[in-house]
Amino acid sequence: MSAGRVAVIGVGVLGACVGWNLARLGADVILIDAGGPGEGVTNWSFSWVNASNKTERRSYFDLNVAGIDAHRELAGAIGPDPWWFPTGHLRWADDPTALFAKAELLARSGYRVEVCTGAEVCRRFEPALALPAEAPVLYYPDEAWVHGRHLVGRLVGEAVAAGAELRSGVAVREIGVDADGSVRTVALSDGSRLDVDIVVNAAGPSAAGIAGLLGRTFPMRREPGVVTRLACTQVPIHRAMHAPHIELRPDGADSVVLHSREIDALIDTGKEPAELARLLHESARRVVPVLGDFPVAQARVVERPIPADGFPSVGAVPSVPGYYEAVTHSGITLGPVLGRLLAAEIVTGQRDELLADFRPERFDRP
Ligand SMILES: Cc1cc2nc3c(=O)[nH]c(=O)nc-3n(C[C@H](O)[C@H](O)[C@H](O)COP(=O)(O)OP(=O)(O)OC[C@H]3O[C@@H](n4cnc5c(N)ncnc54)[C@H](O)[C@@H]3O)c2cc1C
């Protein structure tokens, strides 16, 4: 079955995963980004691939487990370099009671988790950590982190090699429909107009604006986060981790990324990004003292792309023929699985059961 011409609006991790899968299925794809591919939220993410933090609803947990599996398959298909880091995840807390209760439930459902002591962690995994020897630490061996910008670069390169077209630095300004309301054209900020049969809204935090071009109200939640990069002459950590008050991960050969929900909560108090970065750096050096020697290189406040109920909005919107959404938080974890399922739905019309709870039409109900 041919889908006709598909315009993917937004080339972050979601748009790149949808576009790559569409190109593999032989669809006629054009990838459009207002900036550079992978330079949106995808470049300012903690980028932890996990399902252990997604236990609020069974179907959401299952989708995230499928997300981890899809990353492994993707690494098999395109190679792991330089984006896939399946190095597991470490997690500990000042009061570990809740973390350990959850870990026990996860272990009972077959999700792999090990309990270590601080001394073991320093010996086996992370010698640079300042961890009390007896501190209990959870190790999730099947979790990972992803270099989002590099992943997008790989997928876009492969999609273009397979025949997709890339238009970067141009924004979608209008979406035209025909008499029966079906998508027909997209108008771009450079004055051009493209004939299309399908559009995929993968515009991340700008997704509500793209939906609005079609008269659709797509409610999104505001939840900004602040991410900081340290410039390191030598990266002293080897995996992503949640320590008390701070999350840390490597970011390639010369950088470490810092994030904390506690610091995110200060964004609306009016503190400058530089001050938020200083607070993140202070927390990080308590966990990895040598990080105190490395300067803050970048700090950015970004909006998470979160539909109002907190869950993904993925699939066809039946009230607008030819219009699909691919909008979610946890998009690093979910990109590869959502890209595969959505591309198959566009090309074959088959709706996968894994997406049953995450259909866009739930926002149409009064
Ligand atoms: C602080 C923070 C921590 C996070 N931690 C994690 C984590 O640990 N694990 C995890 O799985 N997820 C995490 N996330 C979420 C994850 O990063 C996002 O869900 C994911 O990156 C979203 O990707 P995207 O492709 O939807 O959006 P983006 O990467 O923002 O891509 C959207 C693209 O659309 C383009 N665009 C916008 N408007 C237009 C237009 N009109 N025309 C053309 N193009 C347009 C933009 O230029 C942009 O490139 C985190 C997010 C934040 C902010």
Side-chain angles (χ1 to χ4, degrees), residues 238-258:
H238 307 287
R239 56 190 41 75
M241 58 191 87
H242 272 65
H245 317 297
I246 189 78
E247 301 157 26
L248 317 90
R249 68 163 169 85
D251 188 50
D254 53 9
S255 178
V256 164
V257 160
L258 308 178

Side-chain angles (χ1 to χ4, degrees), residues 162-203:
E165 187 184 339
L166 172 66
R167 301 279 290 270
S168 48
V170 282
V172 170
R173 293 272 195 252
E174 281 172 36
I175 303 175
V177 296
D178 65 14
D180 74 357
S182 302
V183 166
R184 278 295 160 250
T185 56
V186 291
L188 304 181
S189 53
D190 62 2
S192 58
R193 189 175 291 271
L194 310 171
D195 291 329
V196 298
D197 302 286
I198 285 173
V199 296
V200 178
N201 180 354

Side-chain angles (χ1 to χ4, degrees), residues 46-65:
F46 185 59
S47 264
W48 168 34
V49 175
N50 79 95
S52 59
N53 218 29
K54 319 287 174 61
T55 49
E56 57 269 52
R57 196 192 268 186
R58 181 71 212 202
S59 56
Y60 189 53
F61 174 73
D62 291 343
L63 186 65
N64 280 273
V65 169

Side-chain angles (χ1 to χ4, degrees), residues 9-15 32-50 54 170-173 202-206 210 213 223-227 247 259 264 302-305 326-334:
I9 304 173
V11 195
V13 68
L14 264 296
I32 305 167
D33 199 285
E39 289 178 5
V41 183
T42 296
N43 191 36
W44 297 97
S45 178
F46 185 59
S47 264
W48 168 34
V49 175
N50 79 95
K54 319 287 174 61
V170 282
V172 170
R173 293 272 195 252
S206 303
I210 295 296
L213 298 177
E223 215 173 292
V226 56
V227 168
E247 301 157 26
H259 172 251
D264 287 352
V302 288
E303 291 297 334
R304 292 177 170 84
V327 184
T328 188
H329 183 52
S330 293
I332 298 286
T333 302
L334 294 174

Side-chain angles (χ1 to χ4, degrees), residues 138-151:
L138 295 170
Y139 174 58
Y140 290 96
D142 297 326
E143 297 185 344
W145 72 272
V146 158
H147 195 298
R149 209 176 63 248
H150 288 171
L151 171 58

